Amino acid sequence: MPSRNLSFTFHEGVLHLTTPQGEMRLRWNPEPLAEKRLLRSRWDEFVPEFRILAPDTPNSAGTDSPSELLRTKQEAFRAFRSCLPADHTDVVESFGSHQWPLLVLARNSTSGTDLLHSNPILAYALANNAFIQKRASPSAPSLAIRHSHSKHREILGWLDFPATDAMARIFNKIPPAMAHPALLRKLRQAAKSPEALKIFSHLQKKPMPRLPQMLCRR
């Protein structure tokens, strides 16, 4: 039986998540909105860090069927996914966390959408600028939209990375599955070393295989 303290439902365009600590709800239309509340307190906007989209890999033959809780979770997230534009979800699902700001940027900025497809990691960093710069700000989404119109090296400079085309190429070599704000902050620190930049510049971009189903579960 599903836990009474943990549930996932989708109703009238809203994804509802209940945990022992409180509730969360995500809505995409008419405008994206993510809210949470703790123990019946008021609803407050927040930025989801958990994975919202994952490749929909069917169960392998011979494996056990998913539990009822996992099944309802998958169904709820799948229903929410149907509200999102497919040309965004196919790219965003490759990231393991912090997908919400990226989805919002792509929705609200044509330049953000172009950046998502031309340099996904740079788009991820820009959309999550509040996490990259460790400056929580309600203006982070609007700042991401504003800077999405800039050149790649200018975006990097604003995020305190080396403002060079070489750095942009390094970003394009990072597999989305490895991306995380904390790791990108470490990369920014390492990029201050010319020797490290030379090493990074020689890395080869390799296509990422589809993740096994167990790793794709949200």
Side-chain angles (χ1 to χ4, degrees), residues 152-205:
H152 291 191
R153 59 177 179 271
E154 294 171 347
I155 297 173
L156 287 165
W158 180 66
L159 293 172
D160 298 324
F161 285 87
T164 63
D165 292 333
M167 192 73 231
R169 288 192 292 271
I170 290 172
F171 263 59
N172 227 351
K173 295 178 180 180
I174 301 173
M178 294 179 59
H180 188 279
L183 293 178
L184 291 176
R185 291 195 299 268
K186 291 183 180 295
L187 173 61
R188 180 174 58 191
Q189 182 66 27
K192 295 179 180 180
S193 165
E195 291 77 12
L197 281 180
K198 289 181 180 179
I199 295 174
F200 291 140
S201 65
H202 286 92
L203 295 177
Q204 298 296 316
K205 182 176 181 179

Side-chain angles (χ1 to χ4, degrees), residues 37-58:
R37 66 178 178 181
L38 304 177
L39 301 176
R40 298 183 180 179
S41 62
R42 69 175 187 178
W43 288 101
D44 292 312
E45 288 192 46
F46 81 113
V47 180
E49 299 179 32
F50 56 85
R51 189 172 200 169
I52 299 168
L53 304 173
D56 193 8
T57 306

Side-chain angles (χ1 to χ4, degrees), residues 109-130:
S109 170
T110 301
S111 297
T113 299
D114 293 341
L115 184 63
L116 175 62
H117 290 276
S118 63
N119 195 322
I121 304 299
L122 184 55
Y124 177 85
L126 177 60
N128 286 286
N129 64 83

Side-chain angles (χ1 to χ4, degrees), residues 55-198:
D56 193 8
T57 306
N59 286 334
S60 300
T63 60
D64 294 334
S65 60
S67 66
E68 184 178 353
L69 179 60
L70 178 58
R71 180 183 57 79
T72 58
K73 178 182 178 180
Q74 291 174 335
E75 289 178 352
F77 275 87
R78 190 178 297 116
F80 183 71
R81 182 192 183 104
S82 69
C83 300
L84 307 174
D87 57 338
H88 297 169
T89 58
D90 290 344
V91 179
V92 176
E93 70 176 13
S94 300
F95 292 90
S97 68
H98 299 78
Q99 298 173 332
W100 182 260
L102 190 53
L103 287 167
V104 172
L105 174 62
R107 174 189 175 109
N108 295 328
S109 170
T110 301
S111 297
T113 299
D114 293 341
L115 184 63
L116 175 62
H117 290 276
S118 63
N119 195 322
I121 304 299
L122 184 55
Y124 177 85
L126 177 60
N128 286 286
N129 64 83
F131 294 99
I132 299 297
Q133 298 176 325
K134 301 186 73 172
R135 292 199 298 261
S137 170
S139 63
S142 59
L143 288 172
I145 293 173
R146 181 193 308 173
H147 288 278
S148 69
H149 304 292
S150 303
K151 295 180 179 179
H152 291 191
R153 59 177 179 271
E154 294 171 347
I155 297 173
L156 287 165
W158 180 66
L159 293 172
D160 298 324
F161 285 87
T164 63
D165 292 333
M167 192 73 231
R169 288 192 292 271
I170 290 172
F171 263 59
N172 227 351
K173 295 178 180 180
I174 301 173
M178 294 179 59
H180 188 279
L183 293 178
L184 291 176
R185 291 195 299 268
K186 291 183 180 295
L187 173 61
R188 180 174 58 191
Q189 182 66 27
K192 295 179 180 180
S193 165
E195 291 77 12
L197 281 180
K198 289 181 180 179

